[in-house]
Amino acid sequence: MNPKKTARYAAAVLVVPALLFTAACGSDSQDDDTLKSGLVGKVSGKFGTEPKIEVSKGAKAADKIVVEDVSTGDGAGVKKGDIVRLDFAGNIKELGSTWAQRQNADPKAPRAQAVQEIGEQGQMLPTKVADALVGHKVGSRVQVEGTAEAIVGEQLNPQSGIKPSDPLVWVVDIVNAKKVDKKAEVKGAQAASEAGMPEVKAAPQKAATITIPKGEKAPKDLREQVLIKGDGAEVKAGEGLVVQYTGAKWEDGKKFDSSWDHGGASAFPIGVGGVISGWDKGLVGKHVGDRVLLTIPPNQAYGADPTNQLAKNNLVFVVDILGTV
């Protein structure tokens, strides 16, 4: 159970899990699955602004994925394994959009963008759509399209009303991309935990060991402590945050999740409601290279979601901030 909330963008074309694009949407070879001609979607609008996508009634999309730059940026080319920060929109609402204003969102706050690792299953874009960005440059607006069968395949939800031959069009703005060492971790002398805070032992290349202080009640409010102080850039709301993390329950001290259990470094949008609020509040303003200890009460964790098994728990996280995207 990681700090990311349930995916915010609709993906009703998919079978259970309803809001996730599953690994079955992936592709091992971009070259075999993509073409560069036969676009049916007409796209207007500049990079960094919400695109308008038009598809003529009765238009027939290619039965393989088609990818082409609408406009080409001057940044580095995206590579497999990169973590990318993206804006996207689809030709039908079921495909979602990062341009949509979230309900009750602060209009002055940064807009939430997608953060996804190329080559891995994502929660915002189908894996095949994200993989089609390989070779395209940061700063580019890229059009990716194909039939529902070509992109979604067996994961197409028959209750969505979308037919396998229907054209699906995504317009993706590549905002940033960065290669990340999945085994990276913060280095430096670690400070002792403050009074009333859990003790942390972080062995190399392993989930941290978190020991809850005996006889101490969980703090009623968010508490945070920088255990190792880094000298990197300040973390800003709206960025993609790359971290190693371990989470434990205050109530019994048991670990419930760690990035080390899932192949290493993970990335999340930060400061925009894409993770639990204790992360948004506790990590924005910290620095790359910091190791941060957070104790988070239920109302800033999963307390608002009664279906979550951690809804009533006070949570403790140790977070190594490796970088931003």
Side-chain angles (χ1 to χ4, degrees):
M1 186 68 63
N2 67 36
K4 182 174 286 188
K5 292 184 175 180
T6 301
R8 300 301 190 101
Y9 302 107
V13 293
L14 299 182
V15 176
V16 176
L19 295 182
L20 299 181
F21 293 101
T22 70
C25 295
S27 168
D28 293 329
S29 174
Q30 180 200 4
D31 292 336
D32 290 342
D33 284 349
T34 60
L35 304 172
K36 292 193 176 181
S37 61
L39 295 170
V40 300
K42 181 181 178 182
V43 178
S44 57
K46 295 181 179 180
F47 178 94
T49 64
E50 184 172 6
K52 182 179 180 181
I53 306 170
E54 297 177 290
V55 179
S56 300
K57 187 175 181 179
K60 294 183 179 180
D63 59 5
K64 287 192 175 183
I65 296 176
V66 182
V67 56
E68 191 168 289
D69 281 359
V70 177
S71 61
T72 302
D74 57 6
V78 173
K79 299 179 179 63
K80 185 176 180 180
D82 282 357
I83 292 176
V84 294
R85 180 157 53 94
L86 308 166
D87 271 310
F88 72 88
N91 65 312
I92 55 176
K93 64 180 181 180
E94 287 84 0
L95 304 186
S97 173
T98 58
W99 299 98
Q101 182 69 28
R102 289 182 177 175
Q103 188 177 6
N104 300 322
D106 182 353
K108 297 181 180 179
R111 187 169 40 77
Q113 295 171 316
V115 178
Q116 187 160 330
E117 182 177 346
I118 301 298
E120 297 293 332
Q121 176 184 327
Q123 290 185 313
M124 301 277 190
L125 287 175
T127 308
K128 284 187 176 181
V129 174
D131 286 356
L133 303 176
V134 170
H136 295 262
K137 295 181 178 181
V138 172
S140 296
R141 168 162 285 185
V142 183
Q143 183 172 341
V144 183
E145 63 176 57
T147 62
E149 174 70 23
I151 295 177
V152 183
E154 295 180 356
Q155 298 301 297
L156 183 63
N157 187 341
Q159 297 179 348
S160 68
I162 297 173
K163 299 176 182 178
S165 60
D166 285 348
L168 301 183
V169 181
W170 280 264
V171 176
V172 183
D173 285 0
I174 306 174
V175 180
N176 203 354
K178 183 176 292 186
K179 182 67 175 178
V180 173
D181 178 2
K182 300 284 284 186
K183 301 301 182 183
E185 54 194 337
V186 164
K187 304 292 185 182
Q190 181 175 298
S193 297
E194 296 171 353
M197 292 286 274
E199 179 185 348
V200 175
K201 292 183 179 179
Q205 305 293 298
K206 293 182 179 180
T209 300
I210 299 171
T211 304
I212 307 300
K214 291 183 178 180
E216 290 283 350
K217 293 183 178 180
K220 293 183 179 180
D221 299 313
L222 174 70
R223 281 193 65 181
E224 54 191 79
Q225 180 186 353
V226 177
L227 298 176
I228 296 177
K229 187 171 179 58
D231 57 4
E234 181 179 330
V235 176
K236 298 179 181 178
E239 292 181 319
L241 186 67
V242 184
V243 298
Q244 301 283 9
Y245 69 89
T246 300
K249 294 179 287 183
W250 183 284
E251 286 73 16
D252 58 14
K254 291 183 178 179
K255 181 188 73 171
F256 60 85
D257 194 23
S258 176
S259 57
W260 293 105
D261 298 337
H262 308 293
S266 301
F268 307 101
I270 195 69
V272 290
V275 291
I276 56 176
S277 64
W279 270 50
D280 278 345
K281 294 176 181 179
L283 297 178
V284 170
K286 299 300 187 293
H287 292 80
V288 174
D290 285 353
R291 173 171 291 161
V292 184
L293 173 62
L294 300 172
T295 64
I296 305 176
N299 65 351
Q300 294 187 52
Y302 297 102
D305 181 4
T307 65
N308 193 296
Q309 61 184 359
L310 297 174
K312 297 181 180 180
N313 290 112
N314 294 271
L315 304 183
V316 181
F317 281 100
V318 179
V319 183
D320 281 12
I321 302 177
L322 305 178
T324 57
V325 178

